[in-house]
mmCIF file of all heavy atoms in Angstrom:
data_model
loop_
_atom_site.group_PDB
_atom_site.id
_atom_site.type_symbol
_atom_site.label_atom_id
_atom_site.label_comp_id
_atom_site.label_asym_id
_atom_site.label_seq_id
_atom_site.Cartn_x
_atom_site.Cartn_y
_atom_site.Cartn_z
ATOM 1 N N ALA F 300 127.210 63.524 101.747
ATOM 2 C CA ALA F 300 128.190 63.363 102.849
ATOM 3 C C ALA F 300 129.551 62.960 102.352
ATOM 4 O O ALA F 300 129.722 62.383 101.251
ATOM 5 C CB ALA F 300 127.662 62.308 103.819
ATOM 6 N N ALA F 301 130.562 63.236 103.169
ATOM 7 C CA ALA F 301 131.892 62.719 102.920
ATOM 8 C C ALA F 301 132.019 61.270 103.382
ATOM 9 O O ALA F 301 132.806 60.511 102.862
ATOM 10 C CB ALA F 301 132.927 63.592 103.653
ATOM 11 N N ALA F 302 131.263 60.927 104.392
ATOM 12 C CA ALA F 302 131.223 59.579 104.934
ATOM 13 C C ALA F 302 129.894 59.351 105.591
ATOM 14 O O ALA F 302 129.249 60.273 106.142
ATOM 15 C CB ALA F 302 132.358 59.353 105.921
ATOM 16 N N VAL F 303 129.429 58.113 105.563
ATOM 17 C CA VAL F 303 128.169 57.731 106.185
ATOM 18 C C VAL F 303 128.400 56.736 107.312
ATOM 19 O O VAL F 303 129.261 55.842 107.194
ATOM 20 C CB VAL F 303 127.217 57.106 105.139
ATOM 21 C CG1 VAL F 303 126.137 56.291 105.776
ATOM 22 C CG2 VAL F 303 126.569 58.202 104.273
ATOM 23 N N HIS F 304 127.696 56.949 108.418
ATOM 24 C CA HIS F 304 127.822 56.076 109.617
ATOM 25 C C HIS F 304 126.432 55.709 110.044
ATOM 26 O O HIS F 304 125.484 56.512 109.970
ATOM 27 C CB HIS F 304 128.530 56.894 110.704
ATOM 28 C CG HIS F 304 128.705 56.164 112.026
ATOM 29 N ND1 HIS F 304 129.519 55.090 112.168
ATOM 30 C CD2 HIS F 304 128.124 56.355 113.234
ATOM 31 C CE1 HIS F 304 129.464 54.655 113.408
ATOM 32 N NE2 HIS F 304 128.624 55.411 114.085
ATOM 33 N N PRO F 305 126.214 54.493 110.559
ATOM 34 C CA PRO F 305 124.888 54.084 111.010
ATOM 35 C C PRO F 305 124.698 54.419 112.493
ATOM 36 O O PRO F 305 125.627 54.832 113.186
ATOM 37 C CB PRO F 305 124.908 52.570 110.847
ATOM 38 C CG PRO F 305 126.349 52.226 111.182
ATOM 39 C CD PRO F 305 127.183 53.366 110.604
ATOM 40 N N VAL F 306 123.487 54.225 113.010
ATOM 41 C CA VAL F 306 123.274 54.141 114.411
ATOM 42 C C VAL F 306 123.808 52.791 114.856
ATOM 43 O O VAL F 306 123.399 51.791 114.306
ATOM 44 C CB VAL F 306 121.769 54.330 114.763
ATOM 45 C CG1 VAL F 306 121.583 54.132 116.278
ATOM 46 C CG2 VAL F 306 121.275 55.680 114.323
ATOM 47 N N VAL F 307 124.696 52.804 115.837
ATOM 48 C CA VAL F 307 125.282 51.535 116.288
ATOM 49 C C VAL F 307 124.715 51.182 117.682
ATOM 50 O O VAL F 307 124.729 52.006 118.589
ATOM 51 C CB VAL F 307 126.833 51.656 116.370
ATOM 52 C CG1 VAL F 307 127.441 50.354 116.920
ATOM 53 C CG2 VAL F 307 127.420 51.998 115.015
ATOM 54 N N LEU F 308 124.199 49.939 117.754
ATOM 55 C CA LEU F 308 123.676 49.434 119.050
ATOM 56 C C LEU F 308 124.688 48.514 119.667
ATOM 57 O O LEU F 308 125.352 47.719 118.971
ATOM 58 C CB LEU F 308 122.355 48.683 118.810
ATOM 59 C CG LEU F 308 121.259 49.444 118.084
ATOM 60 C CD1 LEU F 308 119.986 48.583 118.047
ATOM 61 C CD2 LEU F 308 120.952 50.792 118.771
ATOM 62 N N GLY F 309 124.822 48.596 120.978
ATOM 63 C CA GLY F 309 125.712 47.684 121.691
ATOM 64 C C GLY F 309 125.032 46.324 121.921
ATOM 65 O O GLY F 309 123.898 46.092 121.514
ATOM 66 N N GLY F 310 125.741 45.459 122.630
ATOM 67 C CA GLY F 310 125.205 44.129 122.896
ATOM 68 C C GLY F 310 123.969 44.150 123.746
ATOM 69 O O GLY F 310 123.202 43.191 123.754
ATOM 70 N N ASP F 311 123.711 45.250 124.454
ATOM 71 C CA ASP F 311 122.507 45.390 125.255
ATOM 72 C C ASP F 311 121.372 46.038 124.495
ATOM 73 O O ASP F 311 120.313 46.329 125.052
ATOM 74 C CB ASP F 311 122.796 46.175 126.539
ATOM 75 C CG ASP F 311 123.473 47.553 126.247
ATOM 76 O OD1 ASP F 311 123.591 47.908 125.074
ATOM 77 O OD2 ASP F 311 123.912 48.165 127.202
ATOM 78 N N LEU F 312 121.574 46.315 123.191
ATOM 79 C CA LEU F 312 120.598 46.950 122.286
ATOM 80 C C LEU F 312 120.283 48.398 122.696
ATOM 81 O O LEU F 312 119.296 48.947 122.228
ATOM 82 C CB LEU F 312 119.299 46.125 122.201
ATOM 83 C CG LEU F 312 119.460 44.715 121.629
ATOM 84 C CD1 LEU F 312 118.116 44.069 121.430
ATOM 85 C CD2 LEU F 312 120.220 44.757 120.325
ATOM 86 N N LEU F 313 121.171 49.009 123.494
ATOM 87 C CA LEU F 313 121.113 50.437 123.705
ATOM 88 C C LEU F 313 122.042 51.069 122.684
ATOM 89 O O LEU F 313 122.893 50.434 122.061
ATOM 90 C CB LEU F 313 121.547 50.795 125.099
ATOM 91 C CG LEU F 313 120.717 50.162 126.252
ATOM 92 C CD1 LEU F 313 121.334 50.547 127.609
ATOM 93 C CD2 LEU F 313 119.276 50.576 126.139
ATOM 94 N N VAL F 314 121.896 52.388 122.472
ATOM 95 C CA VAL F 314 122.738 53.074 121.509
ATOM 96 C C VAL F 314 124.184 53.019 121.985
ATOM 97 O O VAL F 314 124.494 53.402 123.118
ATOM 98 C CB VAL F 314 122.291 54.557 121.331
ATOM 99 C CG1 VAL F 314 123.261 55.303 120.413
ATOM 100 C CG2 VAL F 314 120.875 54.610 120.754
ATOM 101 N N GLY F 315 125.046 52.495 121.121
ATOM 102 C CA GLY F 315 126.479 52.540 121.392
ATOM 103 C C GLY F 315 127.005 53.891 120.980
ATOM 104 O O GLY F 315 127.694 54.583 121.711
ATOM 105 N N ASP F 316 126.654 54.338 119.794
ATOM 106 C CA ASP F 316 126.939 55.674 119.338
ATOM 107 C C ASP F 316 126.097 56.004 118.120
ATOM 108 O O ASP F 316 125.666 55.131 117.357
ATOM 109 C CB ASP F 316 128.433 55.841 119.022
ATOM 110 C CG ASP F 316 128.784 55.276 117.670
ATOM 111 O OD1 ASP F 316 128.615 55.987 116.652
ATOM 112 O OD2 ASP F 316 129.223 54.099 117.583
#
Side-chain angles (χ1 to χ4, degrees):
V303 159
H304 178 70
V306 175
V307 178
L308 305 184
D311 53 8
L312 298 187
L313 302 177
V314 175
D316 78 85

